[in-house]
Amino acid sequence: MCNCSCTGEPALSEKDRRLVELLNKYRTVPGVLIPVLQEAQEIYGYLPAEVLQKVARELQIPLAKVYGVVTFYSQFHLKPRGRNIIRVCLGTACHVRGGDKIFAALQKELAVDDGETTTDLRFTLESVACIGACGLAPVIMINHDTHGRLTPEKLTGILAKYE
Amino acid sequence: MQNLMEACCRQCTHSPQTPCSDYISCRLEGPLCHDSALCKESRKDWIRAIQQPAEGKKRLLICAGTGCIASGSRPLKEHLETELTARGLRQDVDIILTGCHGFCEQGPILIVEPGKTFYCRVQTEDVDEIVEQHLLREERVDRLLYREPGSGEAVFAYPEIRFYALQKRIVLQNCGHINPEDIGEYVASQGYQGLRMALSMEQGAVIEELKRSGLRGRGGAGFLTGMKWEFTANAPGEKKYIVCNADEGDPGAFMDRSVLEGDPHAVIEGMLIAAHAIGADEGYIYVRAEYPLAIERLQIAISQAKKYGLLGTNILGTGFNFNLHIKAGAGAFVCGEETALLTSIEGNRGMPRVRPPFPAVKGLWDKPTNINNVETYANVPHILRRGADWYAQMGTGTSKGSKVFALTGKVNNTGLVEVPMGLSLREIIFDIGGGIRDHKPFKAVQIGGPSGGCLPESMLDLPVDYDSLTAAGAMVGSGGLVVMDEETCMVDIARFFLSFTQKESCGKCTPCREGTKRMLEILTRMTQGDGRRGDVEALEELAQVVKDSSLCGLGQTAPNPVLTTLRYFRHEYEAHIQEKRCPAGACSALLTYQIEADRCIGCTLCARVCPVNCISGKPKEVHLIDSTRCIKCGACKDKCKFNAVSRR
Ligand SMILES: Cc1cc2nc3c(=O)[nH]c(=O)nc-3n(C[C@H](O)[C@H](O)[C@H](O)COP(=O)(O)O)c2cc1C
Ligand code: SF4
Ligand code: SF4
Ligand code: SF4
Ligand code: FES
Ligand code: FES
């Protein structure tokens, strides 16, 4: 006898299961599309097309609208992203104190452009306008850690901490 | 009593289900419903514990705002705890995490009580010395004290630092001084007294008080808050909403973040008072997604307020209901605009719509909605508690109270500065901010973010209030103050702001969508040395059209940085166009790097760092840069120890 646990239905991955849970939790709450997409992105790391389709179907919102919302806000991503997200601040305070030099150095070091991911999926590089740590300008944020008072020389050491 | 907020004994009946109308007063002055020396004493003990360390005890306040966490306050706290435990001192010292002091550049900040000793840039390596010298021997660690820029004098106690001494902290009063994750500390600092007073007043009287105070919105437009509340209160409809705009998008401003992280209950209390005055029972705080710590602190504050019956149904037994939700933004500057924010809460693309109808009449889900900024709400409890007259005595004729500014850029003390309205720019930048870094001359200050303007030296004595700044072409806006010295190019700054607004334009209306693009093209060309005759005039015309015909505030104010730099720094534009020269030496395309023959000793360092190998020369001989191949990276200039590389 075959001892797999297949029930004849396509198996749901752990992530898909969490998405179903999420949709069940929110189905009836008004104005819930953005939080649902935010949490779905937490689960998958980005928003694959199938997830958008599923969200649209389950919340009974046209797919075109879901896609419209996803492409309006800079936080939503349609492509897979790196394990570590680097956000370089190019806000005013950081600009005046050389944020662009930091950005250029990172572009060079990682050989990617704004919004791109390294081929080994280790880093995604993004620019943002102000992360509220202007007193420490220039500033970058890697995942949830903020690094301030930067110089291009300090970057290699900081990047090494993220695998 | 488990803490100040819990019941003192079985006689206290307060709970969210059975609320006591005297609950808040009773925390500080109680017990009010029964007589008990023991219960009175235990309240006093809790309040004392919050306000000052007990006899023989020390209190260490470690800043745990975003800035100081970035500089290492978390490992600092862990290290202190292990060190104190190892020495058996843990029970003699209270370690408390606070919110932002607004002096993030000096972080991590550590304050030792009693004595208010202010240590800055404290690292884990310094812990030993602090414990050994300060905690055990009662001697200050001079090395870690703050030094005044200029005189270099060490300052012993917090209130004596000029940066703080010249401020008037009302909204920021608790930030850095209480634990934002403990509602008891807020209540011990007179928190929720404003709500208590508001609930004892007629709704109309609360609005009247706000109107008399003269408080104007701190989010940008500066509309009278009391008036806005009145519109919403008078709008027909049963269901009404209260919304807090915490989308803080101005790059360079972080006061809303600090208030949310350092004193979240003040915002909640302000919203509660507004809800009571307007007759709303539900509210939203829309926080920008880049502020995860602010969201976390708000969540804690909301759940504590619920636990003690300050949010929910029948609040303090008055029949007043209010529920509060947090919405995290998803990254769009335009969502700071009120109609865009509301439609974003509804789950749509955050595009502004035509006003009227204003949100006060037709807002969230078409219901009357009052929307105010974080700082606006945080002012409200103080006004209720201390009275409109007290508030209105600060400030100028039409701008009352205090305003928080985020002082950043090339200034010695960067940080949050709360001052009475009407102080001059000079006082803020030179007295509080300690002047320009590295003794360079002041050139300009950008005030009000992407909607504001750049003001020159000649405007430094301008009083900072809504009307004077608007007259000068800038605006208070969110309160960002970015100081610039001679190395900042005004054309480049105008280009920088425009590239920001252009990227963030939602695209709904043509003047903003296309106009900002064309303006950006012209400015970019200028900074690259391709400026043409007629460009300035074209910019001026475009700016006027975009300003006059855009749908929302983003487009209407986007030209301000261009118009003010044109007004005050026109010669820099001309230098870029006619002489192809950047007077500030900032536009790299207009620069040339040269080696000064009389200074170069031929050490070869520059030739080795040049990424394109365009420097030639034999060791010990003068080197030469091939300017046709030079990519103007500046590496040679940074490297040369003899200051032989010049940039022009
Ligand atoms: C493009 C744009 C961005 C804005 N961003 C913010 C913001 O980040 N925070 C804020 O409180 N108000 C912002 N505003 C102003 C709001 O539209 C609104 O006037 C304000 O929230 C009202 O609150 P107040 O009366 O307390 O100032 C922005 C306006 C525009 C046009
Ligand atoms: S002015 Fe700009 S941001 Fe505002 S509605 Fe028009 S296009 Fe959108
Ligand atoms: S680094 Fe300076 S001194 Fe040395 S060769 Fe280059 S220009 Fe000359
Ligand atoms: S500025 Fe850069 S490219 Fe030009 S000479 Fe110096 S090091 Fe070489
Ligand atoms: S401008 Fe960079 S953190 Fe604010
Ligand atoms: S985060 Fe510590 S002073 Fe601002």
Side-chain angles (χ1 to χ4, degrees), chain B residues 500-516:
Chain B
F500 176 81
T501 36
Q502 201 280 317
K503 238 197 305 203
E504 297 294 341
S505 162
C506 81
K508 183 169 179 170
C509 66
T510 323
C512 167
R513 185 184 63 235
E514 301 299 328
T516 53

Side-chain angles (χ1 to χ4, degrees), chain B residues 190 192-203 205-213 215 229 269-270 272-274 276-277 377-391:
Chain B
Q190 306 292 323
Y192 289 108
Q193 297 286 350
L195 173 66
R196 180 181 66 79
M197 310 210 20
L199 289 177
S200 69
M201 292 158 73
E202 287 292 323
Q203 301 181 325
V206 177
I207 292 177
E208 212 40 55
E209 191 74 3
L210 253 291
K211 277 165 78 177
R212 261 187 342 108
S213 75
L215 173 67
W229 289 17
E269 189 182 353
L272 276 160
I273 295 170
H276 163 67
Y377 283 124
N379 268 297
V380 171
H382 297 278
I383 295 174
L384 265 287
R385 185 163 60 79
R386 303 170 76 171
D389 295 325
W390 161 80
Y391 195 79

Side-chain angles (χ1 to χ4, degrees), chain A residues 39-70:
Chain A
E39 286 191 38
Q41 185 161 283
E42 281 285 307
I43 298 174
Y44 291 91
Y46 71 110
L47 292 169
E50 307 78 65
V51 170
L52 296 186
Q53 282 159 0
K54 187 160 177 109
V55 168
R57 202 163 50 232
E58 298 283 321
L59 297 181
Q60 304 197 358
I61 296 174
L63 182 58
K65 172 166 177 190
V66 174
Y67 185 75
V69 166
V70 168

Side-chain angles (χ1 to χ4, degrees), chain B residues 147-294:
Chain B
R147 284 170 199 281
E148 292 290 353
S151 68
E153 214 174 306
V155 186
F156 302 131
Y158 194 140
E160 288 155 25
I161 297 176
R162 275 177 78 81
F163 177 76
Y164 289 112
L166 299 170
Q167 296 190 37
K168 176 117 188 128
R169 295 198 147 207
I170 295 167
V171 168
L172 297 180
Q173 178 182 322
N174 285 335
C175 289
H177 299 276
I178 65 169
N179 176 354
E181 298 185 3
D182 180 355
I183 185 173
E185 299 216 359
Y186 181 67
V187 168
S189 320
Q190 306 292 323
Y192 289 108
Q193 297 286 350
L195 173 66
R196 180 181 66 79
M197 310 210 20
L199 289 177
S200 69
M201 292 158 73
E202 287 292 323
Q203 301 181 325
V206 177
I207 292 177
E208 212 40 55
E209 191 74 3
L210 253 291
K211 277 165 78 177
R212 261 187 342 108
S213 75
L215 173 67
R216 294 170 68 170
R218 301 298 193 231
F223 195 77
L224 275 168
T225 306
M227 200 105 95
K228 197 188 264 188
W229 289 17
E230 192 169 51
F231 288 147
T232 321
N234 290 342
E238 273 301 304
K239 177 85 184 174
K240 292 177 184 173
Y241 291 99
I242 297 292
V243 173
C244 174
N245 188 340
D247 198 39
E248 193 159 61
D250 167 3
F254 56 104
M255 57 286 284
D256 293 352
R257 189 215 85 205
S258 287
V259 172
L260 293 172
E261 285 179 8
D263 200 14
H265 285 286
V267 180
I268 298 174
E269 189 182 353
M271 292 183 77
L272 276 160
I273 295 170
H276 163 67
I278 287 162
D281 66 353
E282 201 169 358
Y284 288 88
I285 307 182
Y286 188 94
V287 192
R288 80 190 276 240
E290 287 84 351
Y291 289 178
L293 187 61

